[in-house]
Amino acid sequence: MSNLVVLQDELLGGSYKPLPYRDRIIREPKIRHIQAPDFRDRIVHHAIHSVLNQFYERHFISDSYACRPGRGTHKATQKIQSFLCGSPVPLYACKLDISKYYASINHSRLKQLLADKIDDLKLLALMSVIIDSANSGTEHDYLFATDSYFHTKGARGIPIGNLTSQLFANIYLHHADMYAKQQLKIRHYVRYMDDILIFHESKAQLQIWQQAMIRFFYEELFLTVNPHKIRIYPARIGVDFVGYVIYPRSMRLRGSSVRRFKKHYRQQLKGLLTDKVSKNTIQTSFDAWAAHAGHANTKRLVEHLRSWQDEYFFVHAVQKYARKNNIKGPQVQLSLFDKE
C-alpha cells in the first residue's frame, strides 16, 4: 500500500518515470524482442488501459479484431468466411503486412493521434512519458533504406511487453482503417493488428487499393509494407490468416503451426518420462491447443495426437510402478516419434 501511495504521488505531481525494462528474446513462433516492464509500471499501464480502452472501443471499426474484447482470431475467421460465402462471384484476396510494426511506430505521430481524441493534458503527458521510455534503436535499421521514413521521422518503437502498446498499436492503425473504409470505400476489409486482408471480385481493383494503402502507410504513418508479404490471389485456394487457412465452408490449421505444436508436444512427452514435465501440464497445454484446433477441420489430427498422450502416460505409469516396487528390467522403448 505504501508503494501505491508513492506511485500515486508521482503521478499526481508529474514526476513519474518508468523503471528500466527487462529484455527477453523469444524464438517461437518467430524471433521477437520482448521488453517487460517493472511491476509498478504495469499497474500504471493497466490503469491507463482500463480508461482508454472503453473510450476507443466507441471509435474502432468493427472489422478490427486484435486485442479487443469479444473479438480475436476466431471472430476474424468467421468474418472472412462470411465474405467468401456471401459473395455471388469468386473473390480475390489481397494481403498486407507491416514490416516490424511495433518497432516502426513513430513516437511523434502516435502522440499526435492520441491528442486528436484526448483533451486531458496530464494524461497525454503521462502517455508521452511511457511512449518515450523505449525505442527500437538500430536493431532493425538494416531492413530499411537509409532515406526511409523509418530513419528520418524521429524516434520510433514501442515495447511489445507493455499492455498500453497493444492499445497504442490499434489506435495507430485505426487511422489506416478509416482511410480504407471512408476514403477508399473498401467493403470487405479485415485487420488483425498489422495483418490486413482486403477482398474484391476484381484483381485490378485490389491492385489499385493495394498501392493506395502502401502510400498511406508510408506517407501518413511512416510505416513500410513488407514487400515479401504482399499477395493478391484467388480466395478459393484458401486464405492464410491468423494461423488458419480459410475456405468458404471449412478451415484447416496452418501447416507451420501444426509442425511447431508437434515439436513442442514431443518435448513435453519426452520430459514426462524423466519427470521434468507433469501430466497436468501436458494435458492443460494439449487441451488449450485442441480447443484452438477445434475451430478447423482437425478432428482426426486431434485424436491422433491425443493417442500419443495415452501411450506415454501408460509408459510413465509403468515406470512409476517399477520404481515404487524396485523392479528392474529392460527399459521401455517407444517407436512413436520415429514414425512421425
Side-chain angles (χ1 to χ4, degrees):
M1 181 57 73
S2 61
N3 289 336
L4 288 175
V5 172
V6 171
L7 182 59
Q8 182 185 48
D9 290 341
E10 290 180 8
L11 291 169
L12 291 173
S15 61
Y16 167 77
K17 297 292 181 186
L19 294 176
Y21 292 93
R22 298 188 303 278
D23 290 352
R24 179 187 173 195
I25 302 295
I26 61 172
R27 302 187 180 278
E28 293 290 345
K30 60 183 179 180
I31 297 177
R32 291 183 185 274
H33 179 198
I34 305 297
Q35 292 177 286
D38 189 83
F39 183 76
R40 75 191 294 271
D41 298 322
R42 294 205 300 271
I43 293 173
V44 176
H45 299 166
H46 274 271
I48 293 172
H49 188 275
S50 66
V51 173
L52 283 192
N53 196 53
Q54 296 180 42
F55 172 74
Y56 274 101
E57 274 297 314
R58 302 199 299 267
H59 298 280
F60 289 156
I61 68 170
S62 61
D63 293 327
S64 167
Y65 290 90
C67 306
R68 295 181 60 191
R71 295 183 179 273
T73 58
H74 302 135
K75 292 289 186 181
T77 60
Q78 291 170 14
K79 186 68 171 184
I80 292 169
Q81 283 193 312
S82 73
F83 289 160
L84 301 181
C85 291
S87 175
V89 296
L91 297 177
Y92 286 90
C94 173
K95 184 174 183 180
L96 299 171
D97 181 275
I98 307 299
S99 291
K100 300 301 177 184
Y101 176 51
Y102 275 78
S104 299
I105 292 176
N106 184 272
H107 289 190
S108 296
R109 192 70 177 101
L110 174 58
K111 293 174 189 177
Q112 181 184 7
L113 292 173
L114 290 169
D116 287 344
K117 296 286 186 185
I118 300 170
D119 58 6
D120 187 317
L121 296 182
K122 286 188 175 181
L123 178 56
L124 289 172
L126 174 59
M127 291 191 292
S128 180
V129 168
I130 294 172
I131 292 167
D132 290 336
S133 68
N135 65 76
S136 57
T138 60
E139 182 181 0
H140 305 296
D141 283 6
Y142 71 97
L143 295 173
F144 301 87
T146 54
D147 59 349
S148 165
Y149 283 178
F150 178 85
H151 296 284
T152 63
K153 290 295 184 177
R156 74 271 174 179
I158 58 176
I160 294 178
N162 280 6
L163 179 62
T164 50
S165 293
Q166 298 175 1
L167 180 58
F168 290 162
N170 264 335
I171 292 170
Y172 203 76
L173 282 186
H174 174 66
H175 194 42
D177 295 340
M178 299 305 291
Y179 174 72
K181 302 297 284 187
Q182 294 185 347
Q183 300 298 317
L184 299 181
K185 307 295 183 182
I186 300 175
R187 180 183 176 191
H188 296 146
Y189 174 95
V190 174
R191 179 172 68 81
Y192 193 90
M193 198 49 74
D194 62 318
D195 289 333
I196 296 170
L197 277 176
I198 304 169
F199 298 90
H200 197 269
E201 61 191 61
S202 168
K203 191 174 182 179
Q205 181 62 66
L206 283 179
Q207 290 171 336
I208 293 171
W209 284 341
Q210 177 194 76
Q211 293 305 312
M213 291 294 291
I214 290 173
R215 285 195 302 272
F216 182 86
F217 283 130
Y218 187 78
E219 295 173 1
E220 296 294 327
L221 299 176
F222 315 143
L223 300 173
T224 301
V225 171
N226 190 330
H228 302 294
K229 295 186 178 181
I230 297 175
R231 290 185 63 198
I232 295 179
Y233 57 95
R236 60 178 171 75
I237 68 174
V239 178
D240 189 338
F241 198 63
V242 294
Y244 297 96
V245 180
I246 306 160
Y247 302 91
R249 290 176 177 80
S250 65
M251 285 194 297
R252 63 178 176 84
L253 289 178
R254 182 185 293 160
S256 60
S257 299
V258 174
R259 291 190 293 272
R260 187 166 57 249
F261 176 74
K262 281 185 175 181
K263 179 181 177 181
H264 175 67
Y265 191 41
R266 288 186 182 104
Q267 292 171 345
Q268 284 189 318
L269 290 171
K270 289 179 178 179
L272 174 70
L273 300 186
T274 55
D275 292 322
K276 293 180 180 178
V277 182
S278 70
K279 287 177 60 176
N280 185 61
T281 297
I282 293 173
Q283 288 175 320
T284 301
S285 174
F286 182 83
D287 289 346
W289 176 83
H292 166 73
H295 289 268
N297 302 83
T298 56
K299 183 178 179 180
R300 291 178 62 184
L301 173 64
V302 171
E303 290 176 351
H304 175 61
L305 295 185
R306 198 181 297 277
S307 72
W308 294 10
Q309 268 189 56
D310 297 337
E311 188 169 346
Y312 267 82
F313 286 179
F314 172 75
V315 173
H316 183 247
V318 171
Q319 288 181 341
K320 286 182 65 176
Y321 179 83
R323 286 197 298 267
K324 181 179 178 180
N325 295 278
N326 199 28
I327 300 173
K328 296 183 179 180
Q331 185 177 1
V332 178
Q333 297 292 329
L334 291 176
S335 58
L336 176 64
F337 292 138
D338 293 335
K339 289 182 274 187
E340 291 298 320

